[in-house]
Amino acid sequence: MVSFASTLPSLVSLIPSPSSISNASRHPPQPGMICCKFGPELNNKDCFHRRDILQSVGAAVGMDLIARSSAFIKVANAADLIQRRQRSDFQSKIKLTLFDVIKANPDIIPSLLTLALNDAITYDKATKTGGPNGSIRFSSEISRPENKGLDAALNLLEESKKVIDSDSKGGPISYADLIQFAAQSAVKSTFIASAISKCGGNVEKGTLLYSAYGSNGQWGQFDRIFGRSDAQEPDPEGRVPQWDKASVQEMKDKFKAVGLGPRQLAVMSAFLGPDQAATETLLASDPEVLPWIQKYQRSRETVSRTDYEVDLITTVTKLSSLGQVINYEAYTYPPRKIDVTKLKL
């Protein structure tokens, strides 16, 4: 690194020698000036204002600091890129594991969706507690009436967690992250299955159709919400309705309590029970929800299904972040050091 402070010694030459000071007494410089020349021929052109010297020193020091800080920023940026890569690689492994598990157990999809919803919708605005914090893993919470039948999905995720953790270099995945990413994988599976169905069951063509027209690129914000912390105790009771017994108004009230409305309730119909068609029939009885049910039903009939898929992704993303403080350094680890002396070049 080149230090601009090295230019400071050159200023020493501006200081007059003692022998020349006496000769300059007959031609005193103006106040506030430093002279480089002394003798009878002295004039103001040979002098500098003190402020000019100070400005030069300040500039030299400032340039040196800039140079040093730029080097620090480069190091910081490099470290940030390494951490991003580590998190991205780990997230890819998580998704691959979950996708394979869901592919082998497609009947578990409705339960995975409800599990994620019920873990997230415990959020309480007033106390800023609850939310997608993995508290549903506790036996006292998963055994509540609103979570009836979800223990099989949780057990499947427990087994998936063992596989994921065994290959993690940055620590075990939190239940909070695991449950929400399982819901993402389940949603994606339904999107791809729909595309395959539109192609007459041809997997290759259906996958290609989803890649070309699907909403896969809309998951960016969801993927960045990675680093949720696990709750250390169950969330309070009474915050989650029993979806199969709740009225539409009760559902609307619950969604409103977490900042969502009839539109989001309609698009989340698949999360409210194993029979999406029956759930939508119930929701359609409400005049506020009906237009959205109709809109999403029409959208699901199109090739791209854009309105339905994009709105669903947006809603899932919001639910998955309720009340969460994300640790963006989660799952990172010190990179392995290389002993260059042992390299054979």
Side-chain angles (χ1 to χ4, degrees):
M1 181 188 300
V2 177
S3 175
F4 291 100
S6 62
T7 61
L8 292 177
S10 62
L11 297 175
V12 176
S13 61
L14 298 177
I15 302 176
S17 63
S19 61
S20 62
I21 294 177
S22 59
N23 294 330
S25 60
R26 291 171 296 175
H27 304 277
Q30 295 180 7
M33 300 186 73
I34 298 175
C35 297
C36 301
K37 188 175 182 183
F38 294 86
E41 65 278 14
L42 173 67
N43 57 58
N44 288 338
K45 294 181 180 180
D46 299 310
C47 300
F48 295 93
H49 283 283
R50 287 192 181 93
R51 64 173 177 269
D52 295 330
I53 299 298
L54 294 175
Q55 287 174 352
S56 298
V57 173
V61 172
M63 292 173 71
D64 186 60
L65 291 175
I66 290 173
R68 294 175 188 273
S69 64
S70 296
F72 175 78
I73 290 172
K74 289 179 180 178
V75 173
N77 286 342
D80 183 55
L81 288 173
I82 291 173
Q83 289 186 338
R84 289 186 187 182
R85 180 59 182 270
Q86 290 172 348
R87 284 164 56 84
S88 178
D89 288 347
F90 184 48
Q91 192 177 109
S92 296
K93 293 177 182 178
I94 294 168
K95 292 180 180 180
L96 182 61
T97 300
L98 292 172
F99 187 82
D100 289 343
V101 168
I102 291 170
K103 185 177 180 180
N105 301 272
D107 293 340
I108 206 71
I109 287 178
S111 295
L112 288 174
L113 299 181
T114 306
L115 184 74
L117 172 63
N118 286 7
D119 190 47
I121 212 162
T122 57
Y123 179 64
D124 178 67
K125 277 186 176 181
T127 60
K128 291 182 170 46
T129 58
N133 55 19
S135 65
I136 202 169
R137 74 188 188 277
F138 291 110
S139 58
S140 59
E141 186 168 336
I142 193 66
S143 61
R144 293 172 185 170
E146 65 267 23
N147 297 324
K148 183 179 180 181
L150 301 182
D151 50 344
L154 182 61
N155 292 338
L156 188 65
L157 293 186
E158 290 273 11
E159 295 302 314
S160 301
K161 190 177 189 302
K162 294 176 183 178
V163 176
I164 292 168
D165 291 348
S166 68
D167 195 33
S168 173
K169 298 178 182 178
I173 185 174
S174 68
Y175 282 92
D177 277 338
L178 179 66
I179 291 168
Q180 296 305 315
F181 274 87
Q184 181 200 42
S185 294
V187 169
K188 279 188 176 182
S189 296
T190 65
F191 289 173
I192 295 173
S194 176
I196 292 172
S197 177
K198 282 182 168 62
C199 293
N202 188 304
V203 175
E204 184 178 354
K205 289 183 178 180
T207 304
L208 183 61
L209 175 66
Y210 179 68
S211 299
Y213 295 100
S215 56
N216 194 50
Q218 301 295 320
W219 287 102
Q221 181 59 33
F222 180 95
D223 289 344
R224 283 189 285 273
I225 307 171
F226 185 44
R228 301 171 184 82
S229 298
D230 280 338
Q232 299 306 306
E233 60 184 7
D235 283 337
E237 293 189 62
R239 293 187 178 184
V240 183
Q242 287 183 249
W243 303 113
D244 59 338
K245 296 181 179 180
S247 67
V248 179
Q249 188 59 51
E250 289 174 327
M251 296 182 194
K252 286 166 60 180
D253 291 343
K254 184 58 202 179
F255 270 62
K256 183 178 180 180
V258 296
L260 302 175
R263 178 177 187 170
Q264 289 76 31
L265 177 60
V267 83
M268 292 287 288
S269 60
F271 285 66
L272 302 174
D275 190 341
Q276 185 177 13
T279 301
E280 290 188 341
T281 299
L282 173 63
L283 294 175
S285 65
D286 185 276
E288 286 188 310
V289 186
L290 174 60
W292 298 109
I293 291 291
Q294 293 173 333
K295 176 179 179 176
Y296 296 132
Q297 287 177 341
R298 289 193 300 268
S299 177
R300 290 199 296 266
E301 295 301 318
T302 65
V303 173
S304 63
R305 304 181 3 136
T306 301
D307 288 341
Y308 172 68
E309 292 190 3
V310 171
D311 282 7
L312 180 55
I313 292 170
T314 302
T315 304
V316 169
T317 300
K318 183 170 183 177
L319 276 167
S320 73
S321 62
L322 290 173
Q324 294 299 294
V325 177
I326 304 302
N327 176 13
Y328 291 101
E329 294 183 357
Y331 314 121
T332 62
Y333 51 92
R336 185 169 61 91
K337 294 182 179 180
I338 300 176
D339 187 351
V340 295
T341 61
K342 296 183 180 180
L343 295 177
K344 296 181 179 179
L345 303 176

